[in-house]
Amino acid sequence: MPTIVSVDDSTVPGEGSSRLLLLVSSDNKHIVVEEDIMSRSRFISKQVEGFEATSQRHAILLPFSSFVLNKVIEYCSHYRGYYLLEDDPDAAPPGRSPVREWDQEFLDVDRNMLLRIIKAAHYLEIKSLVGSCARAIADMIRGKTTEEMREILGVENDFTPEEEHSPSSKCTG
Amino acid sequence: MTSSIMTRMNTLIPIASLPSDVMERVFLQLTILEPPSSKASCGLGWIKVSHVCREWRAIALGYASLWHTVVGGDVNAHWAGEILVRSKAAPVAIAIRNPSDPWLAHISGHLFHTRHLDVSVSDSVPKALVSGEYLASPAPLLETFAFDTRFDGVQLPNLLFANYAPRLRRVTLLGCVRDVPWSSPVFRGLVHLHLQQSGSETPSPENFGALFDSMRSIPALETLALIKCLPDTPALSESDDGVLELPALTKLHLHSSVTACASFLRNLRIPPSTILDLQCEMHSDTEHDILLPVLAAHLTAVEPGLEPITTAVVESRHGSNVAFSAWRSCTLRDGVPALSPAEQPALRVRLEQHGPAASSTPPHLSSAFLTELPLRGVRALRVASMHAGWTADHWVDVARSLEGVENLSAEDRASDALLHALDKGGAVFPRLRALGLSLNMPPAFLQELVRVKEAALEALFRALEERRRVGTPGVQVFLDGRLSDGVAR
């Protein structure tokens, strides 16, 4: 559960056509963003519904840095007003994430940053961004040998010799 | 000991912080990007992730949807069984070539969650395959079924999918179209049906009649391909009116004799916008006479928003074959209708002449397409003929029928004949704005090429002068691909 703190009216600028939200990152940066932009996040939408029930305004504390949060806001701003199938709660989840050119450029970041973004997207329940990041990670290890995958992602081989040859080594021949 | 230390170290790396459902998404993407393959270089494909570490193996083995594709021939029957078990009840796609008995048992046992099934047989045939009993279980998720066998006697069971495959939309049957239980309700929801008879066996009218009648119960059919499975006899249906209505059909592909295709088309009621793609074998000189009226009727039928035919191409280059294509759309390039629209032709007919019909001159057939079909709206026309029989008179007939042509391209012998027709003043295309002439011939004709070119060019310039004199609009001339301002001279 996120920590929610009450904020007074002066913290949040006046209400326009789209209300404003105050997001607080783990490095204690306060970021004001239009609710409309963040509506792609199921997590934020649920929080806002909660605010409406209590007629109180709140800041939403998030467990990731402002750097990561700003990247997510950039993504949401880019797709503001766009329909993305993956984010439609009523649509069947697609198996394959579509390759969007802008996303590829947006996710052209180092490995650790990519992992932080996907974690944040997962936390915020932005399925389209999770899908695009998953696709980027899959692209990273696609066609690689087991050893190369370990090297790329810093994973250690923790199999015992018996486990090493079971079970998928049986699959060919 | 070492193993457990490594496991603990793995919990500290950045990727370990991702929730398992995120890793499932990554692996799911990888199943699409890198499916298992029989090629040694690709091998396991995405399954390699289960060799990286314990955590990844646990995620991979625990997430049923990852095991959605089983490609037979790439994996042995034992492993196929394991994959199918791991997929639990998640929808799977199974593609198998030359299945062994254990494989057929897997198919039978997992039909209940199979979404796509593709079975092809070109080697030995297991007993169970002949009887088709492995396909007799309900297939509630099945959407696509492809079956390809060149072995006689291989059957589909009478109770195909126990008569229960409510999601089945696409069926492709190659080589086994004789004993299909067409009255089965599993075919009623189809949108795509592709049937192909193998070998030289003549389709029986009775069996085809059953298919024809069953298609009345498939109103949603959008694409239909019947390859070498139309009988020549006209009696297609037992029903009174004998007409099959397919209101949703967007594409029809037929490959049979001219008589069979014409007979089938006559008994069909389809939207005028349906794309026709016909490959017809001719066995007599006059057989095309029964096909062209049927095609003409289809092209003249009216539908709101449907354009007339604006582009036509007729080619007779190889042996005694003739190919005709017609498009409704018209793409303008530099203000002139283009000769090769990007999309599929609304009508494509390839006539292959066999036996006595081979003596029928392809130029006669080519000309028949252009003069007997309703093509008055044609603005771009290309004629390519390697046959000396294409004469100036053919062009005169074509010009009379297709007065609206703005862009005309004549290739090989047809270009020579066109120049003579222009020279004689017989072929007047009053709206012509671009003329392409290609005199390409095989090297054996080199000497003739030189002679023809000289005479032809003289004829061309005379014709252009004459057009200018009588005030016909100027024409851009392309000779062998090079632009020449013939009008200015």
Side-chain angles (χ1 to χ4, degrees):
Chain A
M1 273 297 285
T3 308
I4 297 175
V5 295
S6 294
V7 289
D8 60 33
D9 281 358
S10 60
T11 313
V12 181
E15 294 175 26
S17 55
S18 174
R19 290 184 303 184
L20 298 171
L21 296 173
L22 178 63
L23 306 179
V24 183
S25 61
S26 61
D27 50 351
N28 204 30
K29 296 276 165 45
H30 291 209
I31 299 171
V32 176
V33 62
E34 285 183 62
E35 182 190 323
D36 195 27
I37 290 174
M38 296 309 291
S39 61
R40 193 167 294 283
S41 159
R42 292 286 301 146
F43 171 81
I44 298 282
S45 297
K46 283 186 262 181
Q47 294 302 314
V48 171
E49 280 168 27
F51 299 165
E52 279 162 1
T54 59
S55 308
Q56 279 187 301
R57 284 171 157 173
H58 300 289
I60 302 172
L61 301 191
L62 297 167
F64 35 85
S65 71
S66 56
F67 191 63
V68 174
L69 179 55
N70 276 320
K71 279 294 274 186
V72 176
I73 292 171
E74 183 188 345
Y75 175 87
C76 292
S77 302
H78 180 78
Y79 286 112
R80 182 183 192 171
Y82 278 81
Y83 173 84
L84 298 178
L85 178 71
E86 308 98 292
D87 292 325
D88 183 346
D90 298 325
R96 180 196 298 252
S97 290
V99 183
R100 286 183 283 265
E101 208 175 308
W102 186 87
D103 290 14
Q104 284 180 316
E105 217 165 285
F106 173 73
L107 294 173
D108 187 15
V109 292
D110 69 54
R111 188 190 64 205
N112 286 338
M113 185 62 187
L114 181 60
L115 296 177
R116 285 188 198 117
I117 294 172
I118 195 172
K119 221 169 138 184
H122 179 259
Y123 185 88
L124 291 168
E125 296 176 62
I126 305 173
K127 287 186 179 172
S128 57
L129 183 53
V130 171
S132 290
C133 291
R135 167 88 193 207
I137 296 170
D139 268 331
M140 207 184 272
I141 56 176
R142 165 194 200 172
K144 300 286 189 291
T145 63
T146 308
E147 199 48 56
E148 286 167 338
M149 287 187 205
R150 288 188 190 124
E151 211 167 295
I152 289 167
L153 294 166
V155 182
E156 295 292 342
N157 179 0
D158 58 354
F159 289 121
T160 62
E162 297 78 43
E163 288 171 333
E164 183 100 50
H165 299 289
S166 165
S168 41
S169 53
K170 289 185 288 182
C171 86
T172 51
Chain B
M1 182 67 175
T2 316
S3 171
S4 65
I5 293 170
M6 293 302 185
T7 301
R8 282 186 193 176
M9 285 174 69
N10 277 345
T11 61
L12 303 174
I13 59 173
I15 198 156
S17 65
L18 295 185
S20 60
D21 57 328
V22 171
M23 285 311 293
E24 287 170 0
R25 285 294 298 268
V26 173
F27 293 166
L28 195 58
Q29 292 298 316
L30 209 57
T31 63
I32 297 157
L33 294 172
E34 199 182 354
S37 164
S38 58
K39 289 172 193 156
S41 56
C42 305
L44 297 175
W46 74 269
I47 298 173
K48 281 178 296 187
V49 300
S50 67
H51 291 197
V52 170
C53 64
R54 285 172 164 175
E55 174 70 11
W56 284 23
R57 178 173 290 181
I59 292 170
L61 298 187
Y63 185 38
S65 295
L66 292 177
W67 306 88
H68 55 67
T69 303
V70 188
V71 182
D74 296 348
V75 295
N76 63 34
H78 174 73
W79 179 242
E82 291 216 23
I83 290 177
L84 288 166
V85 167
R86 283 171 195 173
S87 68
K88 295 171 187 156
V92 292
I94 299 175
I96 171 71
R97 179 172 297 184
N98 299 323
S100 56
D101 278 317
W103 249 107
L104 295 178
H106 292 320
I107 293 173
S108 176
H110 291 272
L111 269 181
F112 73 95
H113 65 121
T114 300
R115 183 182 280 170
H116 306 288
L117 178 61
D118 183 345
V119 180
S120 66
V121 184
S122 57
D123 279 351
S124 57
V125 184
K127 249 185 198 167
L129 187 75
V130 174
S131 66
E133 65 201 31
Y134 66 104
L135 295 174
S137 318
L141 302 184
L142 194 67
E143 294 172 8
T144 309
F145 174 51
F147 192 78
D148 176 3
T149 176
R150 278 146 215 140
F151 281 87
D152 277 345
V154 173
Q155 294 177 356
L156 294 174
N158 275 332
L159 283 176
L160 183 64
F161 306 125
N163 282 347
Y164 188 69
R167 295 189 181 187
L168 189 61
R169 297 292 177 267
R170 302 176 71 86
V171 166
T172 301
L173 301 177
L174 307 178
C176 57
V177 298
R178 271 184 320 170
D179 301 304
V180 180
W182 289 120
S183 56
S184 169
V186 299
F187 297 115
R188 289 190 187 151
L190 292 188
V191 295
H192 171 90
L193 179 60
H194 181 115
L195 302 177
Q196 184 168 344
Q197 178 83 44
S198 65
S200 55
E201 193 179 351
T202 313
S204 92
E206 292 75 28
N207 197 263
F208 187 76
L211 163 65
F212 191 82
D213 282 332
S214 77
M215 281 197 280
R216 293 176 199 284
S217 315
I218 317 178
L221 205 59
E222 292 175 10
T223 59
L224 174 64
L226 300 171
I227 313 299
K228 297 188 173 178
C229 49
L230 291 175
D232 280 339
T233 48
L236 289 168
S237 171
E238 291 172 1
S239 70
D240 294 339
D241 61 3
V243 172
L244 168 63
E245 194 162 345
L246 296 173
L249 201 69
T250 57
K251 188 174 178 191
L252 175 64
H253 182 191
L254 302 177
H255 182 170
S256 275
S257 70
V258 170
T259 309
C261 290
S263 171
F264 181 69
L265 285 169
R266 263 201 305 269
N267 286 278
L268 206 57
R269 193 171 297 148
I270 52 178
S273 55
T274 304
I275 290 171
L276 298 185
D277 185 356
L278 312 181
Q279 195 169 349
C280 306
E281 293 144 12
M282 277 183 72
H283 298 281
S284 83
D285 283 354
T286 55
E287 225 179 344
H288 66 282
D289 289 346
I290 59 168
L291 179 65
L292 292 182
V294 184
L295 298 180
H298 180 70
L299 293 179
T300 42
V302 180
E303 186 179 295
L306 196 64
E307 300 285 327
I309 296 295
T310 56
T311 306
V313 171
V314 63
E315 294 172 292
S316 57
R317 281 208 170 103
H318 308 293
S320 47
N321 299 342
V322 173
F324 172 78
S325 304
W327 289 261
R328 294 188 188 276
S329 63
C330 180
T331 313
L332 294 179
R333 281 190 201 127
D334 300 328
V336 177
L339 285 158
S340 49
E343 71 265 31
Q344 252 186 322
L347 171 65
R348 190 164 68 148
V349 185
R350 283 159 289 171
L351 290 181
E352 298 163 3
Q353 300 190 78
H354 296 279
S359 63
S360 172
T361 56
H364 171 62
L365 286 176
S366 304
S367 166
F369 273 115
L370 298 176
T371 55
E372 292 178 31
L373 291 179
L375 301 176
R376 296 200 75 80
V378 164
R379 298 171 65 189
L381 171 66
R382 185 163 75 84
V383 178
S385 177
M386 287 295 284
H387 296 269
W390 183 278
T391 63
D393 289 342
H394 285 116
W395 275 118
V396 172
D397 290 343
V398 170
R400 209 173 285 143
S401 301
L402 309 180
E403 290 182 335
V405 170
E406 296 170 47
N407 187 0
L408 176 61
S409 172
E411 294 173 21
D412 307 320
R413 297 296 184 108
S415 66
D416 184 24
L418 177 61
L419 292 174
H420 288 295
L422 288 169
D423 187 27
K424 286 198 289 184
V428 180
F429 291 94
R431 295 187 187 164
L432 198 64
R433 295 163 65 196
L435 174 64
L437 295 166
S438 167
L439 297 166
N440 292 331
M441 290 184 191
F445 293 105
L446 202 58
Q447 276 190 325
E448 193 182 354
L449 177 66
V450 174
R451 182 187 63 75
V452 168
K453 267 195 170 175
E454 247 183 60
L457 289 175
E458 280 175 21
L460 173 65
F461 288 123
R462 275 200 304 274
L464 293 172
E465 277 297 330
E466 178 59 18
R467 285 175 73 92
R468 192 174 61 165
R469 196 182 64 74
V470 299
T472 315
V475 181
Q476 280 190 326
V477 180
F478 298 83
L479 273 177
D480 286 336
R482 286 192 296 272
L483 180 63
S484 156
D485 57 344
V487 176
R489 296 179 197 177

